[in-house]
Amino acid sequence: RLLLDAGYPVAIVPEDLLGERLSTARLAILSECEGLLKETEEALRHFVQDGGVLLITGQLPTSAADSFAWIGVTRERDPWQDHIYLPAWDSDGERTPVLVHGRFHCMQTAADVEILLPAIQPYDCSFGMRFGHGTGPASLYPSDVPALVRRRVGQGSVCYLEAPIGSAYERDGDGWQADWFRGLLER
């Protein structure tokens, strides 16, 4: 739904058919996928190495013991925030950050992973802190915690967005999230 509302056609492909569909794709998205077969992970790695782009959102999937180690990202076990803000794409400062509800974890990245966007934490907030309306206002400044990262792998790249924007959009239906996601896909 998020992709459609962002203005992009989408094909949802079951895991057992993914390998054959990747040959015609330029972008594959894994949204809050908990786990995949080792064969699927290998097909995705080859897809990226051959020039494709893989976007993973919300959490890192697991397959075998290495758990997508080639992505170059690990995340802390305990959540850092239960909602965060993503910086707006515009450079003129007219837009406000985009709120995304859901568990957000800090991540560690390999040296060759590029940080594309930092997370903006709720002002003076920590995980589990409750507000009267359930959402803390955005801090004035971005944090030093990455929200969106990219790693070049072969001829392609893999991007990881820690924020669970798919389920947040499904729950909240926030048009700003669809607009922000459209900006991500354009980039």
Side-chain angles (χ1 to χ4, degrees):
R1 195 172 139 220
L2 174 61
L3 283 165
L4 292 174
D5 289 351
Y8 284 86
V10 62
I12 298 173
V13 180
E15 186 173 2
D16 61 336
L17 300 177
L18 183 64
E20 63 190 56
R21 293 297 301 267
L22 287 175
S23 64
T24 60
R26 295 183 313 189
L27 170 68
I29 300 173
L30 297 178
S31 180
E32 301 175 58
C33 180
E34 292 181 15
L36 295 169
L37 298 171
K38 183 67 177 167
E39 298 79 26
T40 304
E41 177 189 356
E42 290 173 6
L44 288 167
R45 186 171 37 83
H46 290 297
F47 166 72
V48 171
Q49 288 173 329
D50 292 342
V53 177
L54 174 62
L55 171 60
I56 300 172
T57 68
Q59 70 182 52
L60 294 168
T62 58
S63 64
D66 62 359
S67 207
F68 280 79
W70 54 275
I71 293 170
V73 173
T74 57
R75 65 197 294 239
E76 291 183 6
R77 189 176 71 85
D78 295 326
W80 174 57
Q81 299 290 333
D82 37 26
H83 61 285
I84 57 103
Y85 293 84
L86 297 170
W89 291 116
D90 72 340
S91 58
D92 61 9
E94 291 294 317
R95 289 229 143 129
T96 60
V98 174
L99 172 65
V100 178
H101 282 104
R103 292 174 180 231
F104 186 95
H105 299 251
C106 291
M107 65 176 107
Q108 289 75 43
T109 60
D112 62 342
V113 171
E114 178 184 6
I115 297 171
L116 301 177
L117 282 178
I120 300 173
Q121 74 183 86
Y123 179 75
D124 199 22
C125 186
S126 59
F127 182 77
M129 180 180 261
R130 294 290 171 225
F131 295 85
H133 49 79
T135 305
S139 177
L140 294 176
Y141 305 103
S143 71
D144 59 355
V145 175
L148 176 65
V149 298
R150 174 178 55 202
R151 186 180 208 188
R152 305 275 183 199
V153 179
Q155 299 298 312
S157 62
V158 59
C159 298
Y160 176 59
L161 175 65
E162 170 60 28
I165 196 164
S167 62
Y169 188 75
E170 181 65 27
R171 185 178 47 254
D172 303 331
D174 183 343
W176 292 108
Q177 293 169 342
D179 187 51
W180 186 92
F181 204 72
R182 181 182 316 106
L184 172 62
L185 295 176
E186 289 169 357
R187 283 156 182 78

